Structures are given as structure tokens and as C-alpha cells.
Amino acid sequence: QVQLAESGGGSVQAGESLRLSCAASGRGYSSNVLGFGRQTPGMERDLVATFSRPTGAWYADSVKGRFTLSSNKAQDTVYLQMNDLKPEDTAVYYCYYRNRFQSVYWGRGTQVTVYWGRGTQVTVSS
């Protein structure tokens, strides 16, 4: 069996950062592809970023330039650094693992909520 454990979710203001971790373990685990997907209510779960030793990191277009995925040497833990977060990044983020036989495993998920700031009043007078 493979166990996947996410950590690091939370609530932040737009423009801020969060770091997620995904730790893989279990007798059935051997490094292949490890990463994150996300899902919002009523929508399909989509991959956000993945890492594999031969090819390195892959990112969805919506997060390129803002998210960075890295792996430890053992390739059993990945870290998703999410910068410049936007309200549309709000979702449940799931750890993702695909083994050499193309079997897919998902973690239980961690909530990431990005909200707008309070705003500031701008008044222009003639």
C-alpha cells in the first residue's frame, strides 16, 4: 500500500505565499511521478505540478511562473512553493503519485483558500 500525506494548506490573502508538502510512504511506493493536483466543488480534479527523476518538473499553464515544485533526494517528498496566490487558486490540493505501472494514488487533500484583501478606497476629484 502507498500512503500520501499532504500538509501546509491554509488561508491567505491574494499575493501571498504558501508551501505544501507531500510525503509518500509504504511498501508499494517506489519513486516515479509525485506531485499535486487540485479540485474545486463541481469541477474535475486537475494536475497542477508533477516531478519525476528523468524529466524533472511539469506545471499546468495556470501556475507557471508562480508555483515551484521540488523534491528531496530520496524522491519520497515533494514541496510545492506557491507564490503570488490568486483567488482562483482556491481549491483542495491533493498529493498525486503514479507508479511505473501507471496506477494513480491520491492523498486526502488539504484546503487552500485565497481571498481578496479588504481593499482601499480611491477617490478622484476634479
Side-chain angles (χ1 to χ4, degrees):
Q1 282 290 345
V2 175
Q3 289 83 44
L4 303 173
E6 307 96 340
S7 61
S11 296
V12 296
Q13 191 169 329
E16 294 183 339
S17 300
L18 277 176
R19 189 186 192 218
L20 305 182
S21 298
C22 167
S25 61
R27 291 183 61 185
Y29 178 77
S30 62
S31 62
N32 192 45
V33 180
L34 194 59
F36 285 90
R38 66 186 181 187
Q39 187 172 24
T40 55
M43 303 297 287
E44 290 188 357
R45 192 174 300 180
D46 294 321
L47 286 178
V48 171
T50 60
F51 182 89
S52 64
R53 189 64 69 187
T55 57
W58 168 90
Y59 300 97
D61 288 343
S62 58
V63 305
K64 279 181 183 176
R66 300 186 299 120
F67 290 12
T68 303
L69 188 69
S70 59
S71 173
N72 66 349
K73 282 188 177 181
Q75 208 176 344
D76 58 9
T77 303
V78 288
Y79 308 94
L80 184 65
Q81 178 66 41
M82 305 185 293
N83 296 331
D84 190 23
L85 282 161
K86 304 177 181 182
E88 51 263 43
D89 294 317
T90 295
V92 178
Y93 283 70
Y94 296 89
C95 186
Y96 167 90
Y97 166 62
R98 187 174 77 239
N99 66 16
R100 291 181 175 86
F101 305 104
Q102 304 304 302
S103 295
V104 173
Y105 300 81
W106 293 98
R108 291 186 176 183
T110 183
Q111 177 70 44
V112 171
T113 303
V114 186
Y115 55 92
W116 291 109
R118 291 184 176 182
T120 183
Q121 177 68 48
V122 175
T123 303
V124 178
S125 60
S126 59

